[in-house]
Amino acid sequence: MSGIAGFVGRETPATLRIRVVEDMVQTDAMQRRGPDSQGTVVADERVVLGNTRLRVTDMRNSEADMPMQSADGMLTLTFNGEIYNHLDLRRLCPDYHFRTKSDAESLLAIYQRHGLDMLSMLEGMFAFCLHDRSARRTLLAVDPTGQKPLYYTLGAGDELYFASDIETILRIPHLNFSWDREGLAQAAGIMFVFGPHTHIREIKKLEAGCCLVVEQGERPRHRRYHKIVIGDELQQDVTAITERIRDAVAAGCTRCFDLEIPYAYLLSGGIDSSSVVARARRQGLELHTYAIGFPESGLRAAAIMHNEFSYSRLVAEAFGTEHREIEVTSQIYCEAMDRWWSLCCEPNGAPEAVCLFLLLEQIAADGHRVAFCGSGPDEVFDGYSHGHRLKTIPSRLVAGAYFDYFNAVGDIDLGQLMLEVDARAAFISAVQPYLDLYAHDTQDSQQLTCLLDYHGECVVSEYRQIDMASMAHSIEVRIPLADQQVIQSAFSFLPRLKHYEDSEKWIFKQAMSPWLPSTISSRKKIGFPVPQMVYASPEFEARMESSLEPDSGLDKLGLFDMAYLRRAWRERRSRGYDIFYRLHGMDVIARRHSSYLSPKDPPA
């Protein structure tokens, strides 16, 4: 696990860019990502790579630090993530002389043998840049699930800068940046920025399952090397389907469980996290589980969400875990929210991220360097019933209906909030390339909605918050149920089985039921326990009032009708607080990032 950064550019002396990359590696965000080692390597006269490493695999071997070079010096790699099948890849490279046991070196070996074709051979989570001096080629790639971020920008003359964190790029002294109003509108309207865009016009994110190839003297070429394959949508054999899902979950967990350092488990008591714990018990692993929630005494009877401690305790008792609970009050939440937003490099409007941030902070404090979580199945198996709700919508209307149904803006009129930018149109425009990607594979609206959930809410929102929250505490989070086989199994049967007999995620529950207590496998989905009353607390109200002041970050964006927003805040009702949470976060980020958007002098 690491932070990566670098420069790929014209054939000018690399010494002119070494200092820039060295400074990128020194940023606070990069240091948190990799507190154990840091380095910068000149790969050739046009490529400089930097890395900060959190030692997890082959952790006691300094030769596994990065950037890493092949023995002949022809290949240079900066890599973030974990390749779970790296031992299998080594067996495919019998002629390579390995100096470490690290998965990073397995990447070098398999590339040396298979070139760009190696991307389809990797299983795990990753973002990396690999420079091949002999071929005069640089490859940047992100895994098919997009768990690890890679942001990039093109400077003058097609110079490419990249990093694991947006703010690391924003700090480059000679590059100019501006707000992406359509991206900001998406973040305000539906919580995240879909596709390759960010809230900064000049900075893009490399999408899941995509790569950039930079050949000598050419512009970077963007290529998608992976997409979900839609299987037989008429398959209704429940026994065969559930066996395939169960086998995929078991294999995904086994791949992730190969560790040499202390680890823990996030346990909400839902079916996903409980399935991971159940599999770990079957494999005889140590079980340190953690749950977080709000005390029952602090919740109103009408609260939409509540803590799930009774369920997580049941699972902990069933599998004999060493279990710890963390209680959160409104004051604790808002204080943690301040720290969370101060670290976020892009708008991410999921309010449960603050609880995740607190949970991982405690796990790290207890000495764990790796944590396992159960994210992933909700989106692909329709755990939120989004696909079920839109199953009768014509496929050509899915994008707009998705925005209308799931934007969580309460009574706010987005047209009045943002007079000059249409958030709905911006979202539809960003989503359309993904619908086009699967246009010849399925026209089932429930299936398409699950695909949008996956590429958007899961990859862009949930996995990004997991990455930012974990890296804030220098801890690695592994997501066994994000395994490609698990994801693929969710799109290989009749879509209606995802929501069946009035049960969301029905087929996944059937698959996991042999592993779990019946109370867990049959329970209804309730989401993460962040009660709406937290946003009605005096602590949150004080913070939101600051965001509504003249000359606040929101005001200076020039995107919002602040008079309308102030009125909407005063007249708010019991629902729709989510948009105020994400607007407050946008305000904090805008205040911090605005200083980087002033015009800068060109490099000397």
Side-chain angles (χ1 to χ4, degrees), residues 111-124:
Y111 173 85
Q112 191 175 81
R113 188 173 184 88
H114 291 278
L116 298 179
D117 291 339
M118 63 95 158
L119 288 173
S120 62
M121 305 168 69
L122 306 179
E123 296 176 357

Side-chain angles (χ1 to χ4, degrees), residues 427-443:
F427 177 79
I428 292 173
S429 176
V431 160
Q432 194 58 50
Y434 288 86
L435 294 176
D436 293 344
L437 181 65
Y438 296 102
H440 298 296
D441 302 324
T442 183
Q443 287 298 305

Side-chain angles (χ1 to χ4, degrees), residues 106-214:
S106 299
L107 271 178
L108 289 176
I110 201 69
Y111 173 85
Q112 191 175 81
R113 188 173 184 88
H114 291 278
L116 298 179
D117 291 339
M118 63 95 158
L119 288 173
S120 62
M121 305 168 69
L122 306 179
E123 296 176 357
M125 54 178 178
F126 57 82
F128 68 79
C129 178
L130 192 157
H131 179 66
D132 183 342
R133 183 186 292 184
S134 61
R136 310 288 283 173
R137 172 197 296 147
T138 306
L139 169 67
L140 295 92
V142 169
D143 76 80
T145 59
Q147 294 175 60
K148 295 289 103 182
L150 197 161
Y151 301 98
Y152 67 95
T153 188
L154 294 176
D158 293 335
E159 293 180 340
L160 184 148
Y161 295 88
F162 67 89
S164 299
D165 185 89
I166 285 179
E167 209 157 299
T168 299
I169 297 174
L170 283 174
R171 290 174 179 268
I172 297 174
H174 61 274
L175 298 182
N176 292 309
F177 301 102
S178 58
W179 300 117
D180 187 319
R181 292 165 64 83
E182 286 74 22
L184 288 165
Q186 279 194 66
I190 202 165
M191 188 171 72
F192 53 85
V193 186
F194 207 101
H197 310 287
T198 71
H199 64 295
I200 304 295
R201 186 169 302 281
E202 294 79 11
I203 299 179
K204 307 300 180 187
K205 52 179 177 278
L206 190 55
E207 300 154 274
C210 292
C211 65
L212 285 177
V213 181
V214 187

